[in-house]
Structure formats: structure tokens, C-alpha cells
């Protein structure tokens, strides 16, 4: 893959319908996930150095919400466009932890579980 395409918005999974959901990578290469609940699209963007397939709350660095009343939830292109716009406009989470703090939190969780 050439460098021009290395960091493009990419939807790796997209399920359509009233409970549409999926995941992918933004233009900066960060993982994100989205889901539709009720009439709202919820997007979570995760930290750069994410090393797990199942992110935790501490891994979320930005969020976005968008209404879905004006789009066709059975059309992949409509959902993809809405998700792309929401990911691009995601706002940083207040108090988002840095990489070191997040890592220490994970280690603490493992130690607590022992």
C-alpha cells in the first residue's frame, strides 16, 4: 500500500438497520466504533496505541453523536457518510487519560483481578 492510502478513513465492518453498528479506522489511523441506538449515532474514537480488540472506557479519546432521522439506515452509503462525518468531527473526551496513565490503569486492573 502506498503512503497516500496508508491513512484513509476505512470502515472495516458495517451492519445496517435500525441498530446499525460497525468499526474502522479514521484518517489518522485511530480505531473507532459506532452504533445506532434509538435515533442517535454514537461514535467512539480510541487512543493511538490501542493493542486490544475490545477497547475499554479508558481507551476512548474522542466521541461524537449525530441524529439519524434524516438518513436511510438500510443504505450502507448513507450510514458510511454519516459515520465518516461524525468521526471527523469527534470531540476530545474531557479528562481523557494519556497513554501512560491508561497503561498503568490496565496494569492496576490486572493486579486487582489476581
Amino acid at each position: 500500500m502506498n503512503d497516500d492510502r496508508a491513512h484513509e478513513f476505512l470502515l472495516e465492518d458495517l451492519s445496517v438497520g435500525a441498530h446499525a453498528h460497525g468499526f474502522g479506522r479514521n484518517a489518522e489511523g485511530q480505531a473507532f466504533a459506532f452504533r445506532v441506538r434509538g435515533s442517535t449515532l454514537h461514535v467512539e474514537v480510541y487512543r493511538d496505541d490501542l493493542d486490544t480488540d475490545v477497547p475499554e472506557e479508558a481507551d476512548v479519546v474522542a466521541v461524537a453523536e449525530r441524529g439519524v432521522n434524516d438518513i436511510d439506515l438500510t443504505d450502507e452509503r448513507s450510514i458510511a457518510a454519516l459515520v465518516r462525518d461524525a468521526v471527523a468531527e469527534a470531540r476530545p473526551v474531557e479528562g481523557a487519560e494519556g497513554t501512560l496513565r491508561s497503561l498503568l490503569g490496565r496494569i492496576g486492573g490486572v493486579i486487582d483481578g489476581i
Side-chain angles (χ1 to χ4, degrees):
M1 176 181 291
N2 68 37
D3 288 339
D4 293 337
R5 297 181 50 88
H7 292 294
E8 291 182 359
F9 175 84
L10 173 66
L11 270 173
E12 298 172 17
D13 181 64
L14 170 62
S15 295
V16 299
H19 302 287
H21 61 278
F23 57 88
R25 295 209 171 266
N26 66 14
E28 288 77 35
Q30 292 173 289
F32 69 84
F34 71 92
R35 69 186 181 284
V36 172
R37 294 293 179 257
S39 61
T40 305
L41 169 76
H42 302 273
V43 175
E44 294 181 340
V45 179
Y46 305 109
R47 61 187 171 87
D48 286 327
D49 60 345
L50 189 64
D51 60 354
T52 180
D53 291 335
V54 183
E56 297 178 1
E57 189 174 333
D59 297 322
V60 178
V61 296
V63 295
E65 290 187 347
R66 288 289 205 51
V68 297
N69 291 334
D70 295 335
I71 69 160
D72 180 357
L73 291 175
T74 63
D75 179 45
E76 287 184 4
R77 293 178 304 159
S78 295
I79 297 170
L82 183 66
V83 170
R84 183 187 62 241
D85 292 348
V87 167
E89 296 171 3
R91 305 264 185 213
V93 175
E94 262 187 57
E97 299 179 351
T99 302
L100 179 58
R101 183 171 299 266
S102 179
L103 177 62
L104 292 174
R106 285 174 172 254
I107 291 171
V110 169
I111 291 171
D112 290 343
I114 296 178

